Amino acid sequence: MQDLPPDTAPHPLLTSLQGRLLAGENVVATLEVDLDAQGRFASGLIALTNSRLLAFEPAGATWREFPLAVGQHLKLSDHGGLAFLELLDTTQRLARWRFTLACNPAAVRFVDTFEREQQLRAGEPVRVDEEEGEDFDFGESSAPPSTWVLLRLWRFARPYQGQLLLGFALMLGSIGATLVSPYLTMPLMDRVLIPFQNGQAIDGTLVAMLLGGLLGAALLSWVLGWAKTYLLALVSERIAADLRTATFDHLLSLSLEYFGNKRTGDLMARIGSETDRISVFLSLHALDFITDVLMLLMISTILFNIHPGLALATLVPLPFIAWMIHLVRDRLRTGFEKIDRVWGEVTNILADTIPGIRVVKAFAQEAREARRFKAANAANLQVNDRLNKTWSLFTPTVALLTEMGLLVVWGVGIWLIAHQSITVGTLTAFLAYIGRFYGRLDSMSRIVSVTQKAAAGAKRIFDILDHVSNVPDPVNPQPFPEAKGAISMQGLNFRYGSRSVVRNLNLDIRPGEMVGLVGHSGSGKSTLVNLICRFYDVTEGSIKVDGVDLRRIRVADYRRHIGLVLQEPFLFFGTIAENIAYGKPDATREEIVAAARAAHAHEFILRLPHGYDSLVGERGQGLSGGERQRISIARALLIDPAILILDEATSAVDTETEKEIQRALDNLVKGRTTIAIAHRLSTLRKADRLVVMDRGEIVELGPHDELIAKQGHYWRLWEAQARRVDAEEADDAGLMVVAPNPNAHTVNA
């Protein structure tokens, strides 16, 4: 028996684990988990040995063991803030553990170790990554980016193929003009300078022609190069802008489930910095690469035309440089992918901390956030340093090889001159071409770095573009110009990941009816509202509006008929009027004011310095919670929806404001289908029907008075809330309330 690995974190279960190891059994890896099977906080441990998987189950305080076999694998997933680890074989799931995302990095390493052990067990070759465990996982494909992903950018370049073709022609002309100068050095040396050294007079006409040719070639090369660079820079900026727009448009089309698994800072970095990087690559480096390739081909043709033997000597360093590029490319490819990920974590911390600065300061956590940023920045620095170590060795080595190649040319050239095979002018022209040849070769080797950067950025962009929405539009949508508001739910089931949230729900809501959804937290009320809004699609069953299945209607056409007021109101940076008119940008000032009056927001808006033109800070800064909520209600009312959904719409307002909004809603719900969620049951007394939910099912249905008379689930909720309100009022009055004893016949005051 072997002891536990020395780097294993201390854990109270390790002693118990060591006592269960068999003779010759070694622990390969361990994973601490912090939740039990029911999702309650509890300490557990999973250990991988060379022959089995051992797991301590907190619920029963017992150890379970799973002998390892070929075909078994671990599946790691996360959902709603929790992570899940499953042990699977070819036919079934053998075990499942859950834990918070704080354990997720360790779980990723644990799964990698398990996979390597299984590869060894199956006799497969194992890929070793010296830098594993340092990546941040954003739920995307972890495969290294291929350079071929850059070819997918042609989809965005196709509209500009005419300009690209013109730019290519200008490029050829510019390269051709550049290559004229070295060719003219041969007659300048052989027919002017060398004869002059031998005592002959200089032919002024010939010199003027040669120098004029050099000047003309230089000017032509400058004009064509400027036109080519300017034209292709304009095209590349437009390609990047189209890519940025397409990515953002596609991002907006994705379902809420996608955003639930992503960090804001990472998405911002992709659309911002990644597209900028691609733009720089297209406008500068891709152009340079094409120029370098064409220049090398044209120079090689000229060199072989001048002297094939000397040209072959020029190509001596090429195989070594190609081998080095192949060797370094893979390291750069994975390295830049890691740099993108750790930089995404830096932007994530900024995106979390800056909008939440009020909470940070309220809890005096400035030092903690500074430490988080410092750690992320240090990780970014570490990954960059590791990559720079590779790149710093590659670049000088390429320069050394080109210098060695130049020495070879000098040596072969001197030998050829000594044997009267070439002239001095030929060698001079050769050296001029060689300087350009090796310069372009060095430039091409440097492009390897920026190409891999662009490939990493393009991969992260296409990870978004390739993601398919879980709430797709139908191929042949059914027109939905108007809505009456009849909603029918039949056999409704919905699973959130592996957890069943709504079960076998059947409900019909009549047009113009007000329905209140009540129940304990987690009973499925908000999920049902999300399904009605089609933020998610049902797992089983159907939701029909006016007899039409929601999946047969375009999402945008349907949501134009829905007014939604969320529990946490969100306002955009802009004026009060712009926020109210967000759902109807062409609304007149009279319509905006009417909606604000209906939401009882008109009075406080007029008290602001600029009234309806007063600027609202980001996320509604500068307004109280009740004021933000009333603007949110006005925003929903302005579009005059057929279906009005109030998700805890009055939770953020005081009692007086709540009464004002309730009086406004009494008139507004007439003729409009209204679905309201409220924890304060008193706000739903005027609802036509109340839907009482428990664990995703409807347990009671009917008007308030009828449900009270039944003394069932709703009555218990009502009584519990009434006692809590009485207790709060008594506490405010300085009294002590004694809870009644249900077994006693009398209660003494």
Side-chain angles (χ1 to χ4, degrees), residues 19 48 73 98 158 177 179 316 328 343 469 475 485 528 553 589 638 690 745:
L48 173 65
H73 65 280
R98 65 173 64 189
R158 187 179 293 112
L179 296 179
V316 168
V328 170
W343 181 249
S469 174
V475 178
L528 184 59
I553 310 170
R589 181 55 62 97
L638 180 62
L690 297 174
H745 297 288

Side-chain angles (χ1 to χ4, degrees), residues 366-614:
E366 294 92 340
R368 175 190 176 188
E369 296 301 327
R371 287 194 300 271
R372 285 181 62 210
F373 185 83
K374 183 178 180 180
N377 204 24
N380 178 58
L381 185 63
Q382 183 181 13
V383 175
N384 276 279
D385 285 346
R386 189 161 48 243
L387 191 65
N388 289 333
K389 184 190 301 182
T390 301
W391 184 244
S392 63
L393 178 64
F394 172 74
T395 305
T397 305
V398 172
L400 175 63
L401 290 173
T402 56
E403 290 293 331
M404 298 291 289
L406 189 60
L407 290 177
V408 171
V409 173
W410 267 107
V412 174
I414 292 173
W415 185 85
L416 291 173
I417 290 176
H419 289 76
Q420 306 296 318
S421 297
I422 62 173
T423 65
V424 174
T426 302
L427 179 60
T428 304
F430 234 93
L431 292 175
Y433 280 120
I434 289 299
R436 300 184 184 219
F437 184 90
Y438 285 149
R440 293 296 179 175
L441 199 60
D442 183 64
S443 175
M444 283 185 64
S445 67
R446 295 175 187 274
I447 288 176
V448 173
S449 171
V450 294
T451 301
Q452 296 308 319
K453 281 184 181 180
K459 175 183 178 293
R460 283 162 56 80
I461 291 292
F462 283 111
D463 279 339
I464 296 178
L465 293 174
D466 293 340
H467 193 91
V468 180
S469 174
N470 293 330
V471 185
D473 275 330
V475 178
N476 298 308
Q478 185 166 335
F480 198 71
E482 295 183 3
K484 297 179 181 178
I487 303 175
S488 176
M489 290 164 269
Q490 301 297 326
L492 210 63
N493 286 274
F494 178 71
R495 299 181 67 84
Y496 200 72
S498 59
R499 181 167 57 97
S500 181
V501 181
V502 177
R503 304 179 184 88
N504 195 29
L505 188 144
N506 296 280
L507 177 64
D508 290 324
I509 302 176
R510 298 182 294 272
E513 183 180 20
M514 180 178 181
V515 172
L517 300 180
V518 299
H520 293 291
S521 296
S523 61
K525 305 184 300 298
S526 294
T527 300
L528 184 59
V529 165
N530 287 334
L531 292 174
I532 294 174
C533 294
R534 211 190 167 204
F535 292 144
Y536 302 96
D537 268 343
V538 298
T539 306
E540 298 176 23
S542 65
I543 300 178
K544 296 182 179 180
V545 175
D546 299 337
V548 182
D549 194 309
L550 290 186
R551 290 166 291 193
R552 298 287 302 153
I553 310 170
R554 287 185 66 247
V555 175
D557 292 343
Y558 170 62
R559 289 184 185 154
R560 289 192 185 99
H561 302 286
I562 295 179
L564 180 63
V565 181
L566 300 172
Q567 181 177 359
E568 298 179 3
F570 186 95
L571 300 184
F572 297 91
F573 183 87
T575 66
I576 296 287
E578 289 170 345
N579 271 280
I580 294 177
Y582 184 77
K584 189 179 179 182
D586 58 346
T588 64
R589 181 55 62 97
E590 290 75 16
E591 292 175 321
I592 294 172
V593 172
R597 286 183 183 276
H600 286 232
H602 180 69
E603 290 75 14
F604 86 78
I605 292 176
L606 292 182
R607 291 195 295 268
L608 296 175
H610 302 287
Y612 284 85
D613 295 319
S614 298

Side-chain angles (χ1 to χ4, degrees), residues 233-399:
L234 291 180
V235 172
S236 66
E237 287 293 342
R238 279 151 182 78
I239 293 174
D242 293 345
L243 177 63
R244 193 178 298 118
T245 301
T247 306
F248 185 69
D249 288 346
H250 185 75
L251 199 63
L252 292 178
S253 70
L254 298 178
S255 65
L256 290 182
E257 184 176 357
Y258 178 84
F259 294 93
N261 296 326
K262 295 293 177 290
R263 300 285 297 274
T264 302
D266 179 59
L267 295 177
M268 291 171 59
R270 296 192 195 197
I271 296 178
S273 60
E274 302 296 1
T275 51
D276 284 343
R277 179 184 296 174
I278 292 172
S279 174
V280 171
F281 171 77
L282 293 175
S283 61
L284 297 178
H285 304 296
L287 181 62
D288 289 342
F289 179 77
I290 297 173
T291 304
D292 292 340
V293 171
L294 293 175
M295 183 76 82
L296 290 176
L297 292 175
M298 296 175 74
I299 291 177
S300 299
T301 303
I302 294 173
L303 292 179
F304 276 96
N305 183 59
I306 295 175
H307 196 284
L310 199 55
L312 286 175
T314 304
L315 304 180
V316 168
L318 279 183
F320 300 99
I321 295 176
W323 175 76
M324 285 197 60
I325 291 175
H326 174 73
L327 189 67
V328 170
R329 184 181 58 186
D330 289 338
R331 288 183 175 272
L332 293 178
R333 184 183 302 168
T334 55
F336 286 124
E337 174 75 2
K338 291 179 180 180
I339 287 174
D340 288 340
R341 293 186 179 186
V342 296
W343 181 249
E345 181 64 16
V346 173
T347 56
N348 283 333
I349 294 175
L350 292 174
D352 288 343
T353 305
I354 295 175
I357 191 65
R358 185 185 297 270
V359 177
V360 173
K361 290 186 173 296
F363 289 91
Q365 293 299 307
E366 294 92 340
R368 175 190 176 188
E369 296 301 327
R371 287 194 300 271
R372 285 181 62 210
F373 185 83
K374 183 178 180 180
N377 204 24
N380 178 58
L381 185 63
Q382 183 181 13
V383 175
N384 276 279
D385 285 346
R386 189 161 48 243
L387 191 65
N388 289 333
K389 184 190 301 182
T390 301
W391 184 244
S392 63
L393 178 64
F394 172 74
T395 305
T397 305
V398 172

